[in-house]
Amino acid sequence: ADLRPRWESPRGLTASASCKPASPGNKVVLVTGTGGFVGFHTARYLRRRGDGVLGLDNFNTYYPVSLKRARSDELEREGVFTLATDLNDVESLKKAHELCGFTHILNLAAQAGVRYATIDPDSYINSNVAGFTAILEVFKSQSPMPRILYASSSSVYGLNTKVPFSEDDVVDRPASLYAATKKSNEMLAHTYNHIYGLATTGLRFFTVYGPYGRPDMAAFAFANKIMRGETVRIFQGPGGSELERDFTYIDDIVQGIVAAVDHIGPSGKPAPCKVYNLGNRQPHNVTYLVDLLEEFLQKKAIRDYVPLPATGDVLKTNADVSLAARDLGYAPRTSLREGVKKFVEWYTEYYKDGLDSDMINYKPL
């Protein structure tokens, strides 16, 4: 079989049309992970405002591919083509740059999830370490060099106990392989910035949720369980303490990402090398999330409080976003209540005929 990616969709959208900006001087952005949650929303936003956007995704099977295809189909209707290939496909990365002339690279593709790393560690190394290195290698050799932005994660704070988490904190005690790969992204970015003058910005996302979200994460996974009449397991830490997360609504995250794209300085020595927290400054416990889901789904959850397994989840995340506020004008404004309401509105519409077979059979770790 021909394993090379197609550069035109069956519906006739070409990669070159996709990355053509609406007017000269607009940005041209390679967004990796456009089959994914954050990549989908960000690519759509950039395209709607007139930037040229080319997507890239390997559509891996970590969670139901039907949802990833639905996202990329929606993007195609908006004029964004997704190249179906892997970050490690260096030839396609080079060809894409020849075709599009990217001004910015936004690497949002990753093997996601904290607990799955105990099952398939290789996938994390391939995507998050080797894949990101492939991107840095390809684009440090271009002239002019594009500016590189990439997803890091709040999980890099690991076993740190000082809250709220600040970008100045030392982050060398990861609690999961996923976190270790995201920390390595920050170190790789620093290395390529130092040696080659690539401008880099890392974004540490805090528990993002919303429409078209990830079904392995709490809001979506719990909604599925409530609708299927299954038990919702809520993890407890020492002494009955509950997990707390700084849940951040997708529109707020997109606003932060786009601001980072718009503020990153040019590549070429000396180039900027930055990392920002993008969170919501308002941690909530998981019980409150379940309460809200019950209210908006109008169905009671069957709850089971269980001890936290030793697979790498941290007890509490809480973002200090003052740096992103100062440099990027970042100002999250969606409360968990408002965000869960919007998520449930999307969820009930998207699954109005019930969950598809992919999602019925999907069991996140």
Side-chain angles (χ1 to χ4, degrees):
D2 185 358
L3 296 176
R4 289 171 302 183
R6 300 172 57 111
W7 294 80
E8 181 175 346
S9 78
R11 296 195 198 99
L13 177 65
T14 64
S16 56
S18 178
C19 61
K20 194 173 168 53
S23 50
N26 288 17
K27 297 174 175 68
V28 181
V29 190
L30 172 64
V31 181
T32 70
T34 42
F37 173 33
V38 180
F40 160 73
H41 283 277
T42 309
R44 185 171 66 172
Y45 186 97
L46 292 170
R47 193 62 181 142
R48 281 178 175 175
R49 75 170 193 177
D51 290 343
V53 179
L54 183 68
L56 181 147
D57 205 286
N58 70 354
F59 295 97
N60 75 16
T61 55
Y62 162 63
Y63 62 75
V65 176
S66 55
L67 182 61
K68 302 184 181 190
R69 295 280 175 207
R71 296 189 191 111
S72 66
D73 288 349
E74 179 68 26
L75 281 179
E76 192 176 325
R77 288 190 279 276
E78 303 255 357
V80 176
F81 178 79
T82 296
L83 195 62
T85 191
D86 193 271
L87 296 176
N88 293 291
D89 178 2
V90 167
E91 291 314 307
S92 292
L93 290 176
K94 288 178 181 166
K95 182 175 170 183
H97 189 64
E98 280 167 27
L99 197 65
C100 299
F102 300 118
T103 60
H104 296 69
I105 311 300
L106 184 49
N107 186 46
L108 301 174
Q111 177 56 60
V114 165
R115 295 187 281 277
Y116 182 67
T118 58
I119 309 283
D120 184 10
D122 290 358
S123 64
Y124 289 79
I125 304 302
N126 287 334
S127 290
N128 304 6
V129 184
F132 187 51
T133 305
I135 282 182
L136 295 169
E137 275 294 320
V138 166
F139 292 109
K140 67 121 166 82
S141 308
Q142 307 305 325
S143 184
M145 287 183 284
R147 307 163 197 209
I148 311 273
L149 302 99
Y150 62 96
S152 184
S153 166
S154 59
S155 69
V156 299
Y157 290 104
L159 301 179
N160 288 14
T161 51
K162 173 185 116 4
V163 288
F165 297 146
S166 160
E167 295 89 347
D168 297 332
D169 301 342
V170 174
V171 285
D172 54 11
R173 295 195 301 157
S176 66
L177 178 65
Y178 171 71
T181 64
K182 287 300 186 176
K183 163 77 175 180
S184 82
N185 284 176
E186 296 181 2
M187 297 164 81
L188 288 163
H190 186 276
T191 305
Y192 279 75
N193 168 270
H194 173 71
I195 298 175
Y196 302 107
L198 270 178
T200 65
T201 296
L203 301 169
R204 294 173 176 171
F205 302 141
F206 283 72
T207 317
V208 191
Y209 71 98
Y212 284 100
R214 268 176 41 202
D216 61 322
M217 289 185 67
F220 202 137
F222 290 169
N224 282 347
K225 284 187 181 298
I226 291 169
M227 296 315 287
R228 293 191 299 229
E230 296 172 6
T231 301
V232 172
R233 286 183 315 153
I234 300 173
F235 294 142
Q236 286 187 313
S241 58
E242 255 210 72
L243 292 200
E244 288 188 37
R245 290 290 176 268
D246 197 0
F247 295 103
T248 313
Y249 188 64
I250 183 63
D251 293 3
D252 290 329
I253 287 286
V254 170
Q255 183 240 329
I257 296 170
V258 171
V261 168
D262 290 345
H263 283 82
I264 188 172
S267 288
K269 291 186 174 181
C273 179
K274 304 212 159 140
V275 173
Y276 294 104
N277 286 339
L278 295 182
N280 196 38
R281 303 170 303 208
Q282 251 195 326
H284 288 289
N285 68 28
V286 176
T287 289
Y288 179 58
L289 173 68
V290 177
D291 291 343
L292 292 173
L293 286 167
E294 283 184 332
E295 179 183 341
F296 296 124
L297 287 166
Q298 299 180 319
K299 191 167 181 221
K300 279 288 182 208
I302 306 161
R303 306 177 190 217
D304 182 22
Y305 288 84
V306 298
L308 180 66
T311 44
D313 278 293
V314 297
L315 285 173
K316 177 175 182 174
T317 63
N318 181 4
D320 177 347
V321 296
S322 53
L323 191 65
R326 188 192 77 194
D327 289 4
L328 310 175
Y330 177 66
R333 39 179 74 86
T334 313
S335 68
L336 187 57
R337 180 180 187 84
E338 190 189 336
V340 171
K341 184 169 188 280
K342 288 179 177 174
F343 165 70
V344 170
E345 283 166 3
W346 167 79
Y347 180 89
T348 49
E349 171 60 28
Y350 187 81
Y351 291 117
K352 59 179 183 285
D353 301 322
L355 298 181
D356 56 66
S357 59
D358 251 11
M359 201 54 77
I360 285 172
N361 297 319
Y362 173 63
K363 297 275 185 282
L365 288 179

mmCIF file of all heavy atoms in Angstrom, residues 31-55:
data_model
loop_
_atom_site.group_PDB
_atom_site.id
_atom_site.type_symbol
_atom_site.label_atom_id
_atom_site.label_comp_id
_atom_site.label_asym_id
_atom_site.label_seq_id
_atom_site.Cartn_x
_atom_site.Cartn_y
_atom_site.Cartn_z
ATOM 1 N N VAL A 31 -0.224 23.446 12.232
ATOM 2 C CA VAL A 31 -0.793 23.022 13.522
ATOM 3 C C VAL A 31 -0.800 21.497 13.559
ATOM 4 O O VAL A 31 -1.525 20.858 12.792
ATOM 5 C CB VAL A 31 -2.225 23.553 13.727
ATOM 6 C CG1 VAL A 31 -2.760 23.112 15.100
ATOM 7 C CG2 VAL A 31 -2.265 25.077 13.624
ATOM 8 N N THR A 32 0.036 20.916 14.406
ATOM 9 C CA THR A 32 0.027 19.459 14.514
ATOM 10 C C THR A 32 -1.017 19.050 15.555
ATOM 11 O O THR A 32 -1.303 19.795 16.493
ATOM 12 C CB THR A 32 1.408 18.905 14.907
ATOM 13 O OG1 THR A 32 1.688 19.267 16.272
ATOM 14 C CG2 THR A 32 2.501 19.444 13.988
ATOM 15 N N GLY A 33 -1.599 17.870 15.349
ATOM 16 C CA GLY A 33 -2.634 17.404 16.271
ATOM 17 C C GLY A 33 -4.007 17.976 15.973
ATOM 18 O O GLY A 33 -4.812 18.182 16.879
ATOM 19 N N THR A 34 -4.319 18.232 14.698
ATOM 20 C CA THR A 34 -5.624 18.814 14.354
ATOM 21 C C THR A 34 -6.763 17.795 14.455
ATOM 22 O O THR A 34 -7.927 18.182 14.436
ATOM 23 C CB THR A 34 -5.617 19.443 12.946
ATOM 24 O OG1 THR A 34 -4.911 18.577 12.055
ATOM 25 C CG2 THR A 34 -4.951 20.801 12.958
ATOM 26 N N GLY A 35 -6.430 16.505 14.566
ATOM 27 C CA GLY A 35 -7.466 15.527 14.899
ATOM 28 C C GLY A 35 -7.752 15.507 16.391
ATOM 29 O O GLY A 35 -8.698 14.878 16.847
ATOM 30 N N GLY A 36 -6.918 16.225 17.156
ATOM 31 C CA GLY A 36 -7.039 16.270 18.616
ATOM 32 C C GLY A 36 -7.849 17.457 19.084
ATOM 33 O O GLY A 36 -8.224 18.335 18.315
ATOM 34 N N PHE A 37 -8.094 17.482 20.376
ATOM 35 C CA PHE A 37 -9.002 18.448 20.992
ATOM 36 C C PHE A 37 -8.503 19.893 20.858
ATOM 37 O O PHE A 37 -9.165 20.742 20.262
ATOM 38 C CB PHE A 37 -9.165 18.038 22.464
ATOM 39 C CG PHE A 37 -9.933 18.973 23.341
ATOM 40 C CD1 PHE A 37 -10.992 19.721 22.857
ATOM 41 C CD2 PHE A 37 -9.604 19.074 24.689
ATOM 42 C CE1 PHE A 37 -11.705 20.572 23.700
ATOM 43 C CE2 PHE A 37 -10.307 19.908 25.534
ATOM 44 C CZ PHE A 37 -11.359 20.666 25.051
ATOM 45 N N VAL A 38 -7.312 20.168 21.392
ATOM 46 C CA VAL A 38 -6.812 21.548 21.408
ATOM 47 C C VAL A 38 -6.395 21.990 20.001
ATOM 48 O O VAL A 38 -6.653 23.118 19.583
ATOM 49 C CB VAL A 38 -5.659 21.701 22.426
ATOM 50 C CG1 VAL A 38 -5.136 23.133 22.436
ATOM 51 C CG2 VAL A 38 -6.135 21.313 23.828
ATOM 52 N N GLY A 39 -5.773 21.072 19.253
ATOM 53 C CA GLY A 39 -5.363 21.390 17.880
ATOM 54 C C GLY A 39 -6.537 21.752 16.992
ATOM 55 O O GLY A 39 -6.466 22.701 16.196
ATOM 56 N N PHE A 40 -7.635 21.018 17.123
ATOM 57 C CA PHE A 40 -8.850 21.288 16.358
ATOM 58 C C PHE A 40 -9.353 22.708 16.614
ATOM 59 O O PHE A 40 -9.566 23.498 15.682
ATOM 60 C CB PHE A 40 -9.926 20.253 16.728
ATOM 61 C CG PHE A 40 -11.335 20.673 16.406
ATOM 62 C CD1 PHE A 40 -11.791 20.714 15.096
ATOM 63 C CD2 PHE A 40 -12.219 21.022 17.423
ATOM 64 C CE1 PHE A 40 -13.098 21.103 14.798
ATOM 65 C CE2 PHE A 40 -13.522 21.405 17.144
ATOM 66 C CZ PHE A 40 -13.968 21.452 15.826
ATOM 67 N N HIS A 41 -9.570 23.039 17.879
ATOM 68 C CA HIS A 41 -10.132 24.359 18.212
ATOM 69 C C HIS A 41 -9.201 25.501 17.799
ATOM 70 O O HIS A 41 -9.655 26.539 17.321
ATOM 71 C CB HIS A 41 -10.422 24.443 19.709
ATOM 72 C CG HIS A 41 -11.668 23.726 20.130
ATOM 73 N ND1 HIS A 41 -12.914 24.292 20.025
ATOM 74 C CD2 HIS A 41 -11.858 22.488 20.623
ATOM 75 C CE1 HIS A 41 -13.834 23.429 20.462
ATOM 76 N NE2 HIS A 41 -13.220 22.331 20.832
ATOM 77 N N THR A 42 -7.890 25.293 17.972
ATOM 78 C CA THR A 42 -6.939 26.364 17.663
ATOM 79 C C THR A 42 -6.824 26.569 16.154
ATOM 80 O O THR A 42 -6.811 27.711 15.675
ATOM 81 C CB THR A 42 -5.570 26.055 18.281
ATOM 82 O OG1 THR A 42 -5.737 25.731 19.667
ATOM 83 C CG2 THR A 42 -4.649 27.262 18.170
ATOM 84 N N ALA A 43 -6.757 25.479 15.408
ATOM 85 C CA ALA A 43 -6.673 25.581 13.947
ATOM 86 C C ALA A 43 -7.914 26.283 13.388
ATOM 87 O O ALA A 43 -7.822 27.133 12.496
ATOM 88 C CB ALA A 43 -6.527 24.192 13.327
ATOM 89 N N ARG A 44 -9.071 25.933 13.921
ATOM 90 C CA ARG A 44 -10.316 26.555 13.455
ATOM 91 C C ARG A 44 -10.299 28.060 13.721
ATOM 92 O O ARG A 44 -10.675 28.862 12.870
ATOM 93 C CB ARG A 44 -11.513 25.888 14.149
ATOM 94 C CG ARG A 44 -12.856 26.382 13.640
ATOM 95 C CD ARG A 44 -14.005 25.556 14.188
ATOM 96 N NE ARG A 44 -14.157 25.716 15.630
ATOM 97 C CZ ARG A 44 -15.183 25.210 16.314
ATOM 98 N NH1 ARG A 44 -16.102 24.461 15.716
ATOM 99 N NH2 ARG A 44 -15.262 25.404 17.627
ATOM 100 N N TYR A 45 -9.851 28.439 14.908
ATOM 101 C CA TYR A 45 -9.796 29.862 15.267
ATOM 102 C C TYR A 45 -8.846 30.618 14.333
ATOM 103 O O TYR A 45 -9.180 31.692 13.814
ATOM 104 C CB TYR A 45 -9.356 30.015 16.723
ATOM 105 C CG TYR A 45 -9.419 31.448 17.198
ATOM 106 C CD1 TYR A 45 -10.524 31.915 17.909
ATOM 107 C CD2 TYR A 45 -8.381 32.340 16.937
ATOM 108 C CE1 TYR A 45 -10.596 33.228 18.336
ATOM 109 C CE2 TYR A 45 -8.441 33.661 17.352
ATOM 110 C CZ TYR A 45 -9.550 34.095 18.056
ATOM 111 O OH TYR A 45 -9.617 35.410 18.465
ATOM 112 N N LEU A 46 -7.648 30.066 14.130
ATOM 113 C CA LEU A 46 -6.657 30.738 13.280
ATOM 114 C C LEU A 46 -7.164 30.892 11.849
ATOM 115 O O LEU A 46 -6.990 31.940 11.222
ATOM 116 C CB LEU A 46 -5.337 29.956 13.293
ATOM 117 C CG LEU A 46 -4.561 29.943 14.616
ATOM 118 C CD1 LEU A 46 -3.423 28.929 14.550
ATOM 119 C CD2 LEU A 46 -4.026 31.329 14.974
ATOM 120 N N ARG A 47 -7.808 29.838 11.329
ATOM 121 C CA ARG A 47 -8.323 29.892 9.952
ATOM 122 C C ARG A 47 -9.434 30.918 9.836
ATOM 123 O O ARG A 47 -9.502 31.675 8.855
ATOM 124 C CB ARG A 47 -8.804 28.492 9.529
ATOM 125 C CG ARG A 47 -9.063 28.354 8.021
ATOM 126 C CD ARG A 47 -7.793 28.586 7.228
ATOM 127 N NE ARG A 47 -7.962 28.505 5.787
ATOM 128 C CZ ARG A 47 -7.333 29.296 4.920
ATOM 129 N NH1 ARG A 47 -6.496 30.225 5.343
ATOM 130 N NH2 ARG A 47 -7.508 29.165 3.627
ATOM 131 N N ARG A 48 -10.321 30.939 10.825
ATOM 132 C CA ARG A 48 -11.456 31.881 10.786
ATOM 133 C C ARG A 48 -10.980 33.334 10.787
ATOM 134 O O ARG A 48 -11.643 34.198 10.219
ATOM 135 C CB ARG A 48 -12.393 31.642 11.977
ATOM 136 C CG ARG A 48 -13.311 30.445 11.781
ATOM 137 C CD ARG A 48 -14.194 30.212 12.997
ATOM 138 N NE ARG A 48 -15.141 29.130 12.753
ATOM 139 C CZ ARG A 48 -15.974 28.650 13.674
ATOM 140 N NH1 ARG A 48 -15.957 29.136 14.914
ATOM 141 N NH2 ARG A 48 -16.809 27.669 13.376
ATOM 142 N N ARG A 49 -9.851 33.586 11.422
ATOM 143 C CA ARG A 49 -9.385 34.976 11.452
ATOM 144 C C ARG A 49 -8.516 35.316 10.243
ATOM 145 O O ARG A 49 -8.041 36.443 10.109
ATOM 146 C CB ARG A 49 -8.652 35.284 12.757
ATOM 147 C CG ARG A 49 -7.255 34.710 12.846
ATOM 148 C CD ARG A 49 -6.510 35.267 14.042
ATOM 149 N NE ARG A 49 -5.086 34.955 13.939
ATOM 150 C CZ ARG A 49 -4.176 35.376 14.813
ATOM 151 N NH1 ARG A 49 -4.536 36.093 15.852
ATOM 152 N NH2 ARG A 49 -2.910 35.074 14.641
ATOM 153 N N GLY A 50 -8.277 34.329 9.378
ATOM 154 C CA GLY A 50 -7.605 34.635 8.119
ATOM 155 C C GLY A 50 -6.188 34.143 7.965
ATOM 156 O O GLY A 50 -5.527 34.422 6.964
ATOM 157 N N ASP A 51 -5.688 33.395 8.955
ATOM 158 C CA ASP A 51 -4.347 32.828 8.806
ATOM 159 C C ASP A 51 -4.391 31.610 7.891
ATOM 160 O O ASP A 51 -5.415 30.921 7.803
ATOM 161 C CB ASP A 51 -3.779 32.414 10.167
ATOM 162 C CG ASP A 51 -3.453 33.615 11.051
ATOM 163 O OD1 ASP A 51 -3.361 34.736 10.516
ATOM 164 O OD2 ASP A 51 -3.294 33.443 12.269
ATOM 165 N N GLY A 52 -3.276 31.340 7.213
ATOM 166 C CA GLY A 52 -3.132 30.068 6.507
ATOM 167 C C GLY A 52 -2.824 28.986 7.527
ATOM 168 O O GLY A 52 -2.008 29.202 8.427
ATOM 169 N N VAL A 53 -3.494 27.853 7.403
ATOM 170 C CA VAL A 53 -3.306 26.782 8.390
ATOM 171 C C VAL A 53 -3.220 25.438 7.667
ATOM 172 O O VAL A 53 -4.083 25.114 6.852
ATOM 173 C CB VAL A 53 -4.483 26.721 9.395
ATOM 174 C CG1 VAL A 53 -4.272 25.572 10.392
ATOM 175 C CG2 VAL A 53 -4.653 28.037 10.146
ATOM 176 N N LEU A 54 -2.168 24.679 7.967
ATOM 177 C CA LEU A 54 -2.119 23.282 7.539
ATOM 178 C C LEU A 54 -2.121 22.421 8.791
ATOM 179 O O LEU A 54 -1.341 22.660 9.721
ATOM 180 C CB LEU A 54 -0.870 22.988 6.708
ATOM 181 C CG LEU A 54 -0.791 21.551 6.165
ATOM 182 C CD1 LEU A 54 -1.856 21.300 5.109
ATOM 183 C CD2 LEU A 54 0.595 21.256 5.576
ATOM 184 N N GLY A 55 -3.013 21.430 8.825
ATOM 185 C CA GLY A 55 -3.065 20.506 9.948
ATOM 186 C C GLY A 55 -2.239 19.263 9.690
ATOM 187 O O GLY A 55 -1.906 18.946 8.542
#
